[in-house]
Amino acid sequence: MDKQTQRHLYGWLRKQSAHGRRWIALCITLGLVQGMLMVAQAWLLATLLHGFIMLGHTPEQYLPHFAALLAVTALKALAAYGREVTGFHAGATVRQTIRDLVLTRLTALGPAYVQRRPAGSWASLLLEQIEEMQDFFARYLPQMAIAVFIPLVILVAVFPVNWAAGLILLGTAPLIPLFMILVGVGAADANRRNFRSLERLSGHFLDRLKGLRTLQLFLRAAAEGKAIERASEEFRERTMEVLRLAFLSTAVLEFFAAISVALVAVYFGFTYIDHLDFGHYGAEVTLFTGLFVLFLAPEFYAPLRELGTHYHARAQAIGAAEQLLAFLEAEVTEPASGAEPFSASAPIHIEARALEVLSAEGKTLVGPLSFTIEPGQQVALVGVSGAGKSSLINALLGFMPYRGNLKVNGQELRDLDMPQWRRHVGWLSQNPQLLTASVRDNLLLADPAADDATLEIALRRAQAWEFVAAKGLDYRLGDAATGLSVGQAQRIALARTLLKPTALMVLDEPTASLDRHSERAIMASLAEVVCRQTLVMITHRIEQLETMDQILVLARGQLVEQGPWRTLSRADGPFAALLAEREGGDLDA
């Protein structure tokens, strides 16, 4: 990673710290209070020891000093506790803000964009990488200010007592940040490589875990296990590289701090045996002076050492921010969402003219297309995989950008208020998502006011009542609908779609995971429901096409044919060719 990139990432991180400015300022203030209490503590200790050893005073004479020392120690501990608490809140506030930025952008880009990357990759971005920024905001940024102000406070206290000791402290202080920076340059690159390795491992592992059943059926589980092992080994090596740099940084800082404190101790030692005679403003160097400075010397370097300890948090945050910022600043086109209100009490009318569906990067995926779907029509989209059916559906749902015209009830789709538009759309994907909640809760997403009788009607229409009744509406589904078969999950999702009062129904292979008997029953139920709605359905089942009012045939992103079943099946065109090549009643076989 070049220096310019590092500066850009660091600048972005500093800019995000503004969201936790109040907590960071409070943390710095408590650090300064802790530093001043440290000086007071050293003064009290030096005074007590000098009085007992050199002046022969009794403990009774120093009772106020003992009470002050206890009070200062207690306040210093409270200040340290307050620093930890406020630092944590600073990091948590900024992390939540960054996570909101990512989620807001993901929401704006839509599910079509999200599906382009493995789920594990997004999980790593939202969880691990953002979490790794905690110490940067909670510790490193406050410590930068504290590492400047506390040494200044100590120098202000030491120079009036002994200028030679003050010069030693002042002269050796730059060594620590200098070597901290030298070690930290490589740490940022090591952390960046580590995060990339973690992202690959997360995405690889989660995808293989989801497809474990398929891998076992095709005897590929062992081979994929070795691939995960290689990815894990790469991640281990990257992690050890980061740890080596972190340990090296700590060792270097401790070494120079120890050398610096030793110089102060040597100076006072030679002064007490009359080998050195400078730095004392003409007055005698007393035991109080030596103890006071020696008590403060380790504390002078402590903030710098602590900054060095947290310096790897800076490198860690820069490494984590690289991919995060690349995603947030990527020049991609978000699906349009206007402010024009939309309402519909009747089936939807759809009209497309010179419609081109675009990827987020602006590449044309489908089109130009021109077609019209009349209110209440049942329309099927057909074509082999990759023809552009899903892209067209995503544009209709408002999840992908487009050029040209796509009007619903005479209003341009890109100008509509998308939440209002989607309230009138019922959508069932080929791989529907069920939440980790009860069956009832999943169904109530469509209609929160529905009672059990209404839920039962919807489940019966979706041929799902029999197995749901056996388990109960309060049966809790596991992650990814664990506890149900694929067909059962699809039927519950279909029941949820049927519960939603809509003017447009969009279905993507609604019977793909069902047997023929269940398929016919569900299609009969759908025929009853969608008679008052406009229906757009992706299907490869020939028997489902015969009842459609219109069929749109797509190939390589182009609309190559459209019309009713009777016309297309008799014409010598692409649809007839698909029928001729069909196997088992499936156009995509």
Side-chain angles (χ1 to χ4, degrees), residues 152-393:
L152 285 177
V153 170
I154 292 177
L155 286 175
V156 169
V158 169
F159 263 107
V161 175
N162 190 287
W163 61 262
L167 286 178
I168 293 174
L169 295 178
L170 187 62
T172 55
L175 291 174
I176 292 178
L178 174 63
F179 282 90
M180 176 180 68
I181 292 171
L182 291 177
V183 175
V185 168
D189 284 337
N191 276 282
R192 177 176 56 85
R193 292 190 293 269
N194 188 49
F195 282 121
R196 285 187 175 178
S197 177
L198 175 60
E199 182 182 0
R200 285 194 296 270
L201 175 61
S202 299
H204 196 85
F205 179 74
L206 187 56
D207 285 351
R208 270 53 180 182
L209 188 63
K210 285 183 174 180
L212 182 59
R213 181 177 299 175
T214 303
L215 292 174
Q216 289 177 329
L217 288 173
F218 286 93
L219 305 179
R220 293 292 301 170
E224 291 301 325
K226 291 180 180 178
I228 293 175
E229 182 181 355
R230 288 193 296 271
S232 301
E233 180 63 20
E234 180 190 1
F235 178 62
R236 184 192 67 81
E237 292 175 358
R238 300 298 186 195
T239 303
M240 293 305 297
E241 181 184 4
V242 173
L243 290 175
R244 281 197 300 271
L245 286 170
F247 290 142
L248 173 63
S249 174
T250 301
V252 168
L253 299 181
E254 291 294 337
F255 172 76
F256 282 104
I259 291 294
S260 302
V261 174
L263 285 175
V264 176
V266 168
Y267 162 74
F268 279 108
F270 278 99
T271 300
Y272 286 138
I273 60 176
D274 297 327
H275 281 50
L276 294 176
D277 187 23
F278 62 87
H280 46 69
Y281 301 108
E284 181 183 3
V285 178
T286 63
L287 180 63
F288 167 83
T289 304
L291 290 175
F292 179 64
V293 175
L294 284 174
F295 284 148
L296 289 179
E299 303 300 338
F300 177 82
Y301 300 105
L304 297 172
R305 291 204 319 270
E306 192 174 347
L307 179 63
T309 302
H310 299 323
Y311 193 77
H312 75 279
R314 176 184 184 274
Q316 203 171 30
I318 289 176
E322 183 184 27
Q323 294 184 29
L324 188 66
L325 195 56
F327 164 67
L328 291 174
E329 295 184 345
E331 295 183 1
V332 294
T333 305
E334 297 178 359
S337 179
E340 191 174 318
F342 180 84
S343 62
S345 57
I348 297 292
H349 175 269
I350 301 171
E351 182 180 7
R353 291 290 177 265
L355 172 66
E356 293 181 68
V357 182
L358 309 175
S359 68
E361 292 75 21
K363 179 182 177 182
T364 300
L365 301 176
V366 178
L369 310 177
S370 295
F371 60 86
T372 300
I373 300 176
E374 298 295 338
Q377 267 195 338
Q378 298 184 22
V379 178
L381 299 179
V382 301
V384 298
S385 296
K389 304 183 297 295
S390 295
S391 296
L392 179 57
I393 290 297

Side-chain angles (χ1 to χ4, degrees), residues 486-535:
V486 176
Q488 288 174 334
Q490 193 168 24
R491 280 181 253 182
I492 290 178
L494 177 59
R496 181 174 61 188
T497 305
L498 295 176
L499 272 170
K500 184 180 179 182
T502 59
L504 172 66
M505 184 78 73
V506 182
L507 307 176
D508 184 358
E509 293 284 359
T511 60
S513 302
L514 305 179
D515 57 73
R516 294 295 184 184
H517 174 73
S518 297
E519 177 185 340
R520 293 190 187 96
I522 285 177
M523 292 307 298
S525 298
L526 281 174
E528 297 177 8
V529 174
V530 302
C531 62
R532 298 176 298 277
Q533 298 172 327
T534 302
L535 172 67

Side-chain angles (χ1 to χ4, degrees), residues 384 516 540-543 576-589:
V384 298
R516 294 295 184 184
H540 295 122
R541 297 295 189 187
I542 293 174
E543 54 269 31
L578 282 174
L579 291 178
E581 296 174 2
R582 73 186 187 276
E583 294 181 17
D586 192 335
L587 291 177
D588 200 34

